Amino acid sequence: MRKKALITYFNGDYKKIQKKCNEYGFEVEIYNKSKSNFGTKVKNIGVDAYDKFHFIINNYDNLPEIVLFLTDNIYKCKKKVRRFEFILDNHYLLYDKSGI
């Protein structure tokens, strides 16, 4: 089963998120909205809704079975960290069902 995590980066700590996703077997792709030169460059349009749409449209014929859409600021909020870790710990439930 293919699992992918898409991290929208602007100026947060994507490396910590990437490491955690890799520990759970997720392939990680970075959508970079900053002026830095790494990952897949995308336009800095609004929040991450553009990035989700961009990913789905450009990968429509080859979407992974599970995709996590993440932003680079997860570790700035305890509530987001708990939600992120809950999803990682329980993502196996999606093998038989869809959506959390």
Side-chain angles (χ1 to χ4, degrees):
M1 173 169 288
R2 285 183 49 226
K3 304 181 293 186
K4 189 160 206 162
L6 178 71
I7 303 171
T8 298
Y9 172 81
F10 183 71
N11 66 355
D13 185 4
Y14 75 92
K15 290 182 181 180
K16 190 173 183 179
I17 300 166
Q18 183 177 22
K19 181 180 177 190
K20 192 76 167 171
C21 288
N22 288 152
E23 288 173 8
Y24 284 84
F26 283 84
E27 176 187 342
V28 176
E29 185 170 348
I30 310 290
Y31 270 19
N32 184 354
K33 292 183 168 191
S34 75
K35 294 181 181 184
S36 302
N37 194 17
F38 64 89
T40 302
K41 293 295 286 179
V42 293
K43 296 176 185 176
N44 186 7
I45 299 175
V47 292
D48 60 330
Y50 171 83
D51 307 327
K52 293 172 187 173
F53 189 65
H54 183 275
F55 178 81
I56 291 168
I57 294 299
N58 288 301
N59 295 282
Y60 187 77
D61 292 325
N62 192 28
L63 286 170
E65 286 78 11
I66 297 176
V67 182
L68 294 180
F69 293 102
L70 308 162
T71 57
D72 63 351
N73 64 356
I74 290 171
Y75 285 100
K76 293 181 180 179
C77 173
K78 288 181 182 181
K79 185 177 179 180
K80 288 181 182 181
V81 171
R82 283 194 311 268
R83 187 179 311 138
F84 173 55
E85 290 177 352
F86 175 84
I87 290 169
L88 287 176
D89 288 339
N90 295 284
H91 77 277
Y92 68 91
L93 297 172
L94 295 175
Y95 296 162
D96 297 324
K97 302 173 185 173
S98 65
I100 287 186

